[in-house]
């Protein structure tokens, strides 16, 4: 069995600061949390930035520049910068940090869909006004990832040698990826991050994961590697199922705030350590960053621009 890659999504743009005092917000917090996750066994660090004063999602490249060099200096992990950004941002805003930093990996949503996180409002505790408005606004939000937008991201970031974490929220997104593969715009191995649990996309039923894997197997054969992301309470059960099926895993405070029922996770490292224990109990060997580079075909940490 190939070694299993653990990805850790450090802060994201879904959860807001009043939901958990452990959510990294400032550059120092994001850097320290990412370094801790890498030390715990994460080979890939999926990164978003935040406005340091408010904790709101930010795609200002300067906010990324405040923590990227620190993470690179302290770890050998693969840095993966989001192009999803914050909900409601333009594609130019979303892609700006990856264009400047030229990371080994960048995430790329593979289709447009309704992205409704308004139900998370019940988790707010003494929120700032922007948090309420942000969550409620997603009831009328379409996460735009048109074919033109996807092609632009592929062309602009590929020029710097960046490869992609293809975020697939539904089986149709796999067919979109196959379209771009047929057009020669992406080359294998395809790093497919299958995502479950966002309202507006596929749910966390185990049957959905089986269907995603079967569809990807038909479309890509041996030309792809599967990773699994389960939102909220489904995180650990679903990623465990994905690993049993031969896939890689993603955990982190972007996707889930709880380490156990009713217990907030106190760090990303705690989440990585938990999934690592589960995987090793199942007999899996955990991939180092360099082993993950070989699996994913990335360019190497010495080829980034930060």
């Amino acid at each position: 069995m190939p070694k299993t890659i653990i990805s850790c999504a450090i802060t994201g743009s879904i959860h807001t600061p009043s939901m958990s005092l452990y959510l990294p917000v400032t550059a120092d917090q994001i850097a320290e949390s990412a370094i801790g996750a890498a030390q715990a066994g994460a080979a890939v660090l999926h990164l978003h930035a935040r406005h340091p004063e408010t904790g709101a999602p930010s795609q200002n490249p300067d906010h990324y520049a405040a923590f990227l060099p620190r993470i690179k200096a302290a770890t050998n992990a693969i840095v993966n910068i989001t192009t999803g950004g914050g909900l409601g941002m333009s594609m130019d805003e979303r892609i700006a940090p990856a264009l400047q930093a030229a990371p080994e990996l960048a995430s790329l949503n593979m289709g447009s869909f309704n992205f409704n996180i308004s139900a998370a409002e019940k988790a707010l505790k003494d929120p700032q006004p922007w948090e309420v408005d942000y969550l409620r606004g997603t009831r009328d939000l379409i996460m735009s990832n048109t074919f033109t937008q996807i092609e632009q991201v592929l062309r602009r970031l590929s020029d710097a040698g960046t490869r992609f974490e293809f975020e697939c929220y539904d089986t149709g997104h796999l067919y979109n990826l196959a379209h771009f593969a047929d057009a020669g715009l992406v080359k294998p191995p395809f790093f497919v991050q299958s995502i479950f649990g966002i309202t507006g996309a596929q749910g966390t039923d185990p049957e959905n994961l089986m269907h995603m894997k079967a569809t990807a197997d038909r479309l890509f054969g041996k030309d792809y590697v599967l990773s699994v992301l389960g939102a909220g309470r489904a995180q650990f059960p679903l990623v465990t199922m994905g690993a049993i099926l031969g896939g890689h895993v993603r955990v982190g405070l972007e996707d889930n705030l709880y380490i156990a029922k009713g217990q907030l996770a106190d760090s990303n490292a705690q989440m990585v350590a938990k999934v690592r224990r589960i995987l090793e109990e199942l007999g899996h060997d955990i991939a180092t960053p360099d082993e993950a580079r070989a699996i994913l075909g990335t360019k190497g940490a010495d080829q980034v621009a930060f």
Side-chain angles (χ1 to χ4, degrees), residues 154-221:
L154 290 173
R155 290 188 183 279
R156 296 174 73 183
L157 293 185
S158 294
D159 287 345
T162 295
R163 291 183 60 80
F164 299 92
E165 173 202 22
F166 295 106
E167 297 199 339
C168 297
Y169 293 76
D170 238 321
T171 51
H173 294 179
L174 296 173
Y175 286 91
N176 293 350
L177 174 57
H179 164 81
F180 288 105
D182 290 343
L185 289 175
V186 292
K187 304 293 184 185
F190 309 124
F191 183 29
V192 174
Q193 190 68 257
S194 55
I195 300 174
F196 305 84
I198 297 298
T199 302
Q202 64 191 348
T204 57
D205 308 276
E207 294 83 358
N208 288 340
L209 172 50
M210 297 296 292
H211 181 52
M212 282 287 281
K213 183 180 184 302
T215 303
D217 286 345
R218 287 195 305 271
L219 290 172
F220 308 119

Side-chain angles (χ1 to χ4, degrees), residues 91 94 111-113 142-146 149:
M91 185 56 79
R94 288 159 54 183
S112 301
F113 61 105
I142 295 174
M143 171 64 89
S144 179
N145 303 282
T146 67
Q149 288 174 321

Side-chain angles (χ1 to χ4, degrees), residues 18 46 57 69 139 170 195 236 259 262 264 267 274 284 287:
S18 70
H46 176 85
R139 291 179 295 187
D170 238 321
I195 300 174
F236 289 104
I259 193 67
L264 288 170
S267 67
K274 178 174 179 175
H284 290 246

Side-chain angles (χ1 to χ4, degrees), residues 19-22 123 125 232-234 236 256-266 270-271 274:
M19 294 179 185
S20 172
L21 71 164
Y22 303 111
K125 305 174 183 69
R233 71 186 68 178
F236 289 104
N256 168 38
L257 295 175
Y258 290 84
I259 193 67
K261 186 176 181 179
Q263 180 185 348
L264 288 170
D266 61 24
Q270 185 185 30
M271 306 186 96
K274 178 174 179 175

Side-chain angles (χ1 to χ4, degrees), residues 22-23 62 82 97 132 179 184 256 259 293 297:
Y22 303 111
L23 186 71
D62 291 342
T82 181
V132 177
H179 164 81
N256 168 38
I259 193 67
R293 287 183 173 95

